[in-house]
Amino acid sequence: MKSYLIDPSPALPLSQGRESSLYVHVPFCEKKCGYCSFYSVIADDRNISAWLEGIAREAEKYSGAKIRTLYIGGGTPTVLTMPQWQKLMTIIRHSFDLSELTEATAEANPNSLTEEHAEFLRDNNFSRISLGVQSLNDDELKALGRIHDSRQAVRAMEIVRDSGLNLSCDLIFATPGQTLRSWDYSLRTVMNYVSHISTYQLTLEPDTPMGRIYGDDDLNAAGYKFYRYAQYFLPKHGFFQYEISSFAREGSECSHNIAYWNHSEVIALGPSASGYIDGVRITNPRTLEAWLSGTEPERETLSPRERVIELAILSLRTKWGIPRKDIMPEIEAVLLEMPSDLFIMTPERIALSPKGMRLGNAIWCELLGV
Ligand code: SF4
């Protein structure tokens, strides 16, 4: 079986030639969605110029790092105009070595993705676009406070398909008013365009507009059936679940996300972005103002024990699970006490079964108590 688990403690200093993944947070959107608790502000040219200058300064700190996977996320990276994209890629090329890049992804939203964006990304060695489709039902999109409709979502998927780039779509389930029939329609439609699907249950923080209207408990109860349906439907159509939220055609798994789940090194640029270097989680100041003013990032050093527990939880999110040779005896003991139908156990490794994936949160809580 293929293993992506590697030694989580690279000892090299941050310098020329060091290998890493790179995440760049674009903290701009056209309008705030009703459920969103990510950090983003409404895009305007002045803020974007200041952000680009900040990215250039921050990138210099990691100058010379060799980037294996690149992910431009947000926010909404497709609110950047073509000259702004050009400037961003010039900064990244100036500071980093992209000669061994294996995957590059840009997030996009259906209402702002243009043919020019797709062509630019393809011509700049991007391999994937991750599109925030969320649903193909207009009532659900309205309930979520999205500014696109299903027609625009299909058009955006056509743009990516015609560009030759790989497409991943995000879909949200447990939206108020959603039915299994509409969920089936969204899954069935995106399946024709994509090689990767990420499914997320709608979760509502109390400080979001939707969170002030709906109770999270009701949505949690509803979420189980939609998730279970995706686990049944997608593998039947060639999309295999390789992580709690991720389904892909064989060979289309997201290497950048796998780097996070392996505790590999991730350099993160931009406000609120979070990276991981030498066992230290580095989280940038949350707001654009604080980040631009030079406020220091938060640094959380994980003890060796915390690293092992965190790596076990991250590994269990994936279909590859935890190699038995690496597992801490206390963690193994906790897992073996749980119902056996939550796991797929082999002499080499322990992974979650589809049922275990559905109950992942309860399993993490047990492991955090080790
Ligand atoms: S587009 Fe994404 S990041 Fe922007 S407000 Fe909506 S959910 Fe949040």
Side-chain angles (χ1 to χ4, degrees), residues 28 50 61 75 121 131 133 150 182 218 238-239 272 276 285 315 362:
F28 305 107
K61 292 191 212 163
L121 293 169
L131 189 66
V133 169
S150 56
S182 70
D218 301 342
F239 290 84
S272 83
Y276 184 80
S315 304

Side-chain angles (χ1 to χ4, degrees), residues 69-82:
T69 68
L70 168 65
Y71 198 103
I72 312 285
T76 307
T78 41
V79 297
L80 301 184
T81 59
M82 297 326 299

Side-chain angles (χ1 to χ4, degrees), residues 28-29 31-33 35-38 40 74-76 109 146:
F28 305 107
C29 290
K31 174 187 167 277
K32 208 70 195 158
C33 301
Y35 58 95
C36 180
S37 58
F38 293 121
S40 65
T76 307
N109 272 338
R146 302 291 304 196

Side-chain angles (χ1 to χ4, degrees), residues 124-273:
N124 281 273
N125 292 331
F126 277 74
S127 43
R128 310 167 76 240
I129 288 182
S130 174
L131 189 66
V133 169
Q134 316 308 357
S135 169
L136 285 171
N137 176 291
D138 286 336
D139 292 335
E140 290 166 21
L141 289 169
K142 214 172 272 171
L144 291 168
R146 302 291 304 196
I147 52 175
H148 68 270
D149 60 20
S150 56
R151 196 184 45 81
Q152 284 171 305
V154 170
R155 177 68 197 128
M157 290 194 286
E158 287 169 354
I159 288 175
V160 181
R161 183 189 57 196
D162 295 347
S163 74
L165 289 162
N166 291 312
L167 176 61
S168 173
C169 278
D170 289 353
L171 291 176
I172 289 180
F173 59 87
T175 301
Q178 188 175 25
T179 62
L180 273 182
R181 186 183 287 262
S182 70
W183 181 228
D184 173 88
Y185 178 75
S186 292
L187 291 170
R188 209 174 271 281
T189 308
V190 300
M191 203 173 76
N192 296 320
Y193 297 89
V194 304
S195 54
H196 187 283
I197 300 175
S198 298
T199 60
Y200 300 102
Q201 172 156 352
L202 180 63
T203 49
L204 295 177
E205 302 297 333
D207 61 345
T208 57
M210 279 186 88
R212 287 190 276 276
I213 300 172
Y214 299 102
D216 214 23
D217 289 349
D218 301 342
L219 300 180
N220 279 336
Y224 196 81
K225 71 176 179 196
F226 293 105
Y227 186 59
R228 194 174 175 159
Y229 186 75
Q231 285 184 310
Y232 153 79
F233 178 84
L234 290 173
K236 269 204 337 183
H237 294 88
F239 290 84
F240 299 102
Q241 185 168 23
Y242 71 101
E243 190 265 340
I244 295 260
S245 306
S246 314
F247 297 80
R249 291 197 188 280
E250 205 68 41
S252 295
E253 297 87 355
C254 176
S255 304
H256 184 83
N257 286 343
I258 289 171
Y260 279 101
W261 303 322
N262 275 345
H263 258 181
S264 301
E265 181 172 298
V266 178
I267 295 170
L269 308 181
S272 83

Side-chain angles (χ1 to χ4, degrees), residues 275-287:
Y276 184 80
I277 296 171
D278 276 349
V280 181
R281 187 170 301 108
I282 303 171
T283 305
N284 280 346
R286 182 172 156 81
T287 65

